[in-house]
Amino acid sequence: MNKEFKEGFSKGLGLASGLIAIPVTVIFLFVSYSIAQDLFNAVFQSEEKKEYLDCQVKRSNRFKEQVQARREGFPVPPSVDNCEKPTKEWKWQ
C-alpha cells in the first residue's frame, strides 16, 4: 500500500464514522430523554397528583359522552364531581 492510499483511506474512514455517529447520537439522546422523563414523573409526582390527573381524564371523557348523547338525542349521563387539586407538599416536609 502506498502512502496516498493510506491517507485517503484514513480520511474516508474518519468521515464515515463521523457520519454514522450523528444519527446514533440523536437516537441515544432521544431514548435517554424518554427514560429520564419517565423516571422523573415516577419519582417526583405524588400519588395525589396522579389521582387528580386521572380524575381530570375521567371528567373530560364524561363531558365528551354528554355532548355525544345530546347530539344523538339519548339520555345525558350525570356529570362527574369536580376534582380537588392536590396541595403542593414536598417529600421532605
Side-chain angles (χ1 to χ4, degrees), residues 10 14 25 27 36 47 52-53 64-65 67 77-78 80 84 88:
S10 296
T25 304
I27 291 170
E47 194 65 34
Y52 173 73
L53 294 175
K64 290 175 187 176
E65 290 174 8
V67 169
V80 177
E84 291 184 28
K88 292 184 180 182

Side-chain angles (χ1 to χ4, degrees), residues 9-25:
F9 184 77
S10 296
K11 288 181 182 177
L13 189 61
L15 179 65
S17 64
L19 289 175
I20 291 172
I22 292 171
V24 169
T25 304

Side-chain angles (χ1 to χ4, degrees), residues 30-48:
F30 179 74
V31 170
S32 299
Y33 175 76
S34 63
I35 291 172
Q37 188 176 13
D38 290 342
L39 287 174
F40 178 80
N41 287 338
V43 171
F44 290 109
Q45 281 190 353
S46 65
E47 194 65 34
E48 293 86 15

